[in-house]
Amino acid sequence: MSFLECRSISKSYDGKHALKDVTFEIEGGDLLSVVGPSGSGKTTLLRIIDGLEKADSGEVLLKGKKISGEPFLHRKMIGMVFQNPVLFNTTVFNNIAYSLKFRGEEGETIKKKVEEMLKLLRLHDLRGRNALTLSGGEAQRVALARALVYDPDLLLLDEPTANLDPYNVSIIEEVLQRSNREQGTTVIVITHNIFQAKRLAKNVAFLLEGELVEFSDSAAFFASPRDSKTLSFIRGEMVY
Ligand SMILES: Nc1ncnc2c1ncn2[C@@H]1O[C@H](COP(=O)(O)OP(=O)(O)O)[C@@H](O)[C@H]1O
Ligand SMILES: [Mg+2]
């Protein structure tokens, strides 16, 4: 049984396909990068896996269980980081603690887990700052801390480092890799930056106009893609 299975997922908006019959599966502990030009359906796919969006047809299975239409199951197992973080109007500490409070964890446990996250994401000096005053990179690190603090089985990230400076990109990439290696967190990260995919991914999925053109391990994806469109994308020849 695979960890996550997407079976024939299709989705249209106003009669136009955003996703066409997308099927793939990943094992637990994988780090999958979803790449593709703008408008290729990457965000739609992630939102369907997260349960924020409903597919027109097809289904998503997590550990063999159908999770399409089961938001509660999603919330317990999946962490999500958006391209533009949405933080609450309170301290960095409280932002990170929020999901633990919501889950009914007790004070000492919350404190310990939040401290770990502050350290991991190098946010300790910012713990008392109002999260709405942070820079883009700091805010994204808080968003990642908030998603990781309850140790999700699956972490989904939608272009988490788009528009960030190299310092913040390197912290976020390092934390993703550490969570994946050390906690065994399964990660799906969307990026339109193929260099990032190359640095991070074990497997790469290439979406183009809503279709899954290629899905393979990272080495094969970059060294010997099966589809000529993949080759053209990784060579940077695709206009988007
Ligand atoms: N809520 C929506 N309403 C209408 N069209 C949408 C909506 N969300 C996405 N789309 C369309 O679906 C296609 C795929 O979008 P998206 O998944 O955001 O692509 P990507 O993340 O790869 O840039 C695009 O043509 C986009 O305009
Ligand atoms: Mg997108």
Side-chain angles (χ1 to χ4, degrees):
M1 178 179 65
S2 345
F3 176 81
L4 176 79
E5 225 185 306
C6 289
R7 287 190 188 154
S8 291
I9 297 193
S10 294
K11 174 81 182 173
S12 297
Y13 293 107
D14 313 319
K16 190 173 160 279
H17 270 296
L19 290 173
K20 276 182 239 175
D21 204 18
V22 170
T23 297
F24 68 91
E25 52 185 67
I26 58 174
E27 299 304 325
D30 199 353
L31 203 166
L32 172 71
S33 234
V34 180
V35 299
S38 181
S40 56
K42 304 184 296 299
T43 295
T44 304
L45 177 63
L46 214 67
R47 289 173 62 86
I48 287 172
I49 294 172
D50 192 50
L52 292 166
E53 203 82 59
K54 207 173 166 303
D56 297 336
S57 58
E59 57 197 9
V60 181
L61 291 96
L62 190 59
K63 295 184 180 173
K65 245 196 206 137
K66 236 194 252 186
I67 55 169
S68 344
E70 298 274 1
F72 183 67
L73 273 178
H74 279 80
R75 293 275 74 82
K76 276 176 62 176
M77 300 168 85
I78 304 182
M80 177 93 164
V81 174
F82 300 92
Q83 190 170 349
N84 298 306
V86 188
L87 300 177
F88 307 121
N89 182 15
T90 176
T91 61
V92 165
F93 187 99
N94 287 341
N95 266 273
I96 301 172
Y98 178 82
S99 63
L100 295 174
K101 284 185 185 155
F102 186 71
R103 284 171 170 73
E105 298 268 9
E106 52 177 279
E108 276 309 303
T109 314
I110 293 178
K111 193 160 176 293
K112 189 171 150 272
K113 289 188 174 173
V114 175
E115 291 297 338
E116 266 171 40
M117 285 299 132
L118 290 169
K119 190 162 167 240
L120 185 67
L121 284 139
R122 288 177 233 169
L123 289 164
H124 20 325
D125 294 343
L126 297 169
R127 65 187 338 116
R129 270 271 289 280
N130 184 300
L132 302 186
T133 68
L134 300 174
S135 73
E138 292 162 348
Q140 194 58 295
R141 281 188 275 145
V142 174
L144 180 55
R146 200 170 55 180
L148 280 177
V149 74
Y150 59 89
D151 198 15
D153 295 324
L154 175 63
L155 178 65
L156 306 173
L157 306 105
D158 192 354
E159 306 209 29
T161 63
N163 316 318
L164 297 190
D165 58 288
Y167 173 73
N168 281 294
V169 173
S170 72
I171 296 178
I172 288 171
E173 289 188 354
E174 183 197 314
V175 170
L176 288 184
Q177 284 180 308
R178 274 185 68 172
S179 310
N180 177 251
R181 273 195 214 120
E182 293 170 19
Q183 322 295 329
T185 314
T186 308
V187 178
I188 302 182
V189 56
I190 290 181
T191 177
H192 63 240
N193 180 338
I194 55 162
F195 300 104
Q196 182 166 60
K198 216 173 190 172
R199 283 194 297 274
L200 292 178
K202 294 181 190 164
N203 284 305
V204 184
F206 174 43
L207 278 177
L208 187 64
E209 293 172 355
E211 290 187 64
L212 186 60
V213 171
E214 187 129 359
F215 184 102
S216 57
D217 69 84
S218 177
F221 185 90
F222 289 104
S224 48
R226 285 187 295 270
D227 198 292
S228 61
K229 293 192 283 287
T230 312
L231 186 61
S232 146
F233 180 71
I234 62 183
R235 281 183 176 163
E237 293 163 359
M238 206 164 271
V239 182
Y240 64 92

